[in-house]
């Protein structure tokens, strides 16, 4: 519709979010966003929460390193960033060191 | 991990029948203690031993695959001689310092694909104090084309690689070089398979992820939520 503002299309990421055909989660509900850490990913009712609140609430469930960096769509986000619906919040997981 | 990747990659590359130069680079030696995780038919430099094995067992006389072994660790002083624009690099090292070195070198090249894999050891993480199960691993794929990054470098989403706590093998003391951390063979094997999968997908133009993470205890393997590789020309 003319004049209607469209939400900018996020950069394509792999392994998370509603457009992932392998995602078993329905993020249609407005307060849902996807939280990922390493191979773990889950749609959770975290929209409206800050990154730090998500980290505190789910650190045990996802085994999130308290010092890990947080990213949304490949961009770093600070602890006070408020998560929007349908976003994919990734907490980094340290790479395997051994070979 | 490198010996697994080398053997299966040699089978695959040989089967293609196209002219390919396959260079194994490793300064390490096969020793008795390696037998719990690796199979080898001789002691000595790993690159040389595997190259000899592959040359004798796998390759036909008319194979278009050209094998070469370089018995050196990659370090600041030799990396420009070892890795060039146009190369595809499969990195199966046991330290983040070498990952950083190779990633930063690749960032100076116009066209390259760097595929790096690793798995946790069974140990306490010195930084976090957390006990690592040794069941986690990941593979990262850093692609450059015409001087542009098509996917993130190894350091972009990994501070532990950007600022490594470990050292390249040539900087280790004799005591440090003797230290080894237990690893789970199956995590090592899964990381090797993930490297080979990524190489195959890249070479067929079907690679859809820039990093793949797995945990064999949880039965999970999925791409990390970072930008997928941009389409090259």
């Amino acid at each position: 519709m003319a004049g209607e503002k469209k939400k900018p299309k996020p950069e394509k990421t792999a392994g998370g979010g509603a457009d992932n055909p392998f995602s078993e989660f329905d993020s249609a509900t407005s307060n849902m966003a996807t939280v990922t850490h390493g191979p773990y990913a889950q749609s959770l009712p975290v929209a409206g929460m800050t990154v730090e609140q998500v980290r505190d609430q789910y650190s045990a469930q996802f085994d999130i390193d308290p010092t890990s960096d947080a990213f949304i769509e490949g961009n770093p986000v600070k602890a006070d960033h408020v998560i929007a619906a349908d976003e994919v919040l990734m907490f980094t997981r340290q790479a395997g060191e051994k070979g | 991990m490198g010996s697994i990747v080398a053997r299966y990659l040699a089978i695959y590359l040989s089967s293609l029948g196209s002219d390919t130069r396959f260079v194994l680079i490793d300064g390490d030696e096969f020793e008795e203690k390696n037998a719990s995780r690796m199979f080898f038919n001789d002691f000595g430099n790993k690159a040389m031993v595997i190259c000899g094995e592959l040359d004798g067992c796998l390759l036909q006389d008319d194979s278009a695959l050209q094998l070469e072994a370089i018995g050196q660790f990659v370090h600041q002083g030799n990396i420009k001689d070892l890795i060039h624009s146009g190369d595809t690099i499969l990195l199966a090292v046991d330290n983040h310092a070498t990952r950083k070195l190779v990633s930063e070198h690749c960032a100076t090249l116009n066209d390259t694909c760097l595929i790096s894999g690793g798995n946790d050891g069974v140990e306490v993480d010195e930084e976090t104090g957390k006990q690592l199960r040794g069941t986690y691993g990941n593979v990262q794929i850093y692609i450059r084309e015409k001087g542009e990054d098509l996917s993130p470098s190894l350091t972009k989403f990994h501070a532990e690689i950007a600022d490594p706590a470990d050292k390249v093998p040539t900087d280790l003391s004799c005591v440090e070089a003797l230290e080894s951390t237990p690893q789970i063979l199956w995590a090592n094997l899964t990381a090797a398979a993930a490297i080979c999968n990524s190489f195959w997908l890249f070479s067929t133009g079907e690679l859809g992820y820039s990093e793949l993470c797995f945990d064999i205890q949880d039965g999970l393997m999925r791409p990390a939520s970072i930008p997928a590789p941009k389409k090259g020309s």
Side-chain angles (χ1 to χ4, degrees), chain B residues 73-224:
Chain B
F73 289 113
V74 177
H75 56 79
Q76 193 71 53
N78 65 5
I79 191 164
K80 285 182 182 172
D81 296 329
L82 297 175
I83 298 173
H84 307 97
S85 186
D87 289 346
T88 299
I89 305 109
L90 306 189
L91 192 60
V93 297
D94 62 359
N95 64 91
H96 288 331
T98 300
R99 291 187 180 95
K100 178 184 181 181
L101 175 70
V102 176
S103 180
E104 290 184 343
H105 176 65
C106 286
T108 69
L109 305 176
N110 281 340
D111 298 283
T112 189
C113 174
L114 167 61
I115 302 174
S116 171
N119 55 271
D120 283 350
V122 182
E123 62 185 330
V124 174
D125 185 290
E126 288 179 9
E127 199 174 311
T128 63
K130 195 175 92 176
Q131 174 65 49
L132 300 176
R133 300 187 302 200
T135 56
Y136 174 83
N138 73 321
V139 171
Q140 297 172 254
I141 305 98
Y142 177 31
I143 304 166
R144 283 178 60 79
E145 188 177 289
K146 296 177 180 166
E148 183 196 352
D149 284 356
L150 298 188
S151 64
S153 72
L154 302 193
T155 57
K156 182 159 185 182
F157 293 100
H158 288 279
E160 74 283 2
I161 299 177
D163 186 18
D166 53 23
K167 299 174 183 172
V168 295
T170 48
D171 287 349
L172 293 176
S173 68
C174 294
V175 174
E176 288 172 321
L178 286 172
E179 292 173 354
S180 68
T181 303
Q183 293 182 59
I184 294 173
L185 173 61
W186 315 120
N188 208 231
L189 186 61
T190 305
I195 288 177
C196 293
N197 296 343
S198 300
F199 172 77
W200 173 64
L201 291 168
F202 168 72
S203 62
T204 56
E206 297 293 336
L207 185 68
Y209 52 80
S210 300
E211 180 173 350
L212 190 64
C213 311
F214 68 82
D215 192 300
I216 60 169
Q217 184 161 337
D218 295 326
L220 291 171
M221 180 181 280
R222 63 178 292 127

Side-chain angles (χ1 to χ4, degrees), chain A residues 24-73:
Chain A
E24 64 267 48
F25 309 109
D26 177 8
S27 62
T29 313
S30 62
N31 67 338
M32 303 298 278
T34 303
V35 179
T36 77
H37 180 240
Y40 312 109
Q42 193 163 345
S43 185
L44 296 164
V46 297
M49 293 171 65
T50 65
V51 169
E52 197 55 36
Q53 287 170 328
V54 175
R55 187 196 297 273
D56 289 345
Q57 190 161 333
Y58 294 100
S59 62
Q61 181 179 340
F62 285 93
D63 194 25
I64 299 169
D65 177 351
T67 64
S68 64
D69 296 320
F71 292 86
I72 291 176
E73 306 295 350

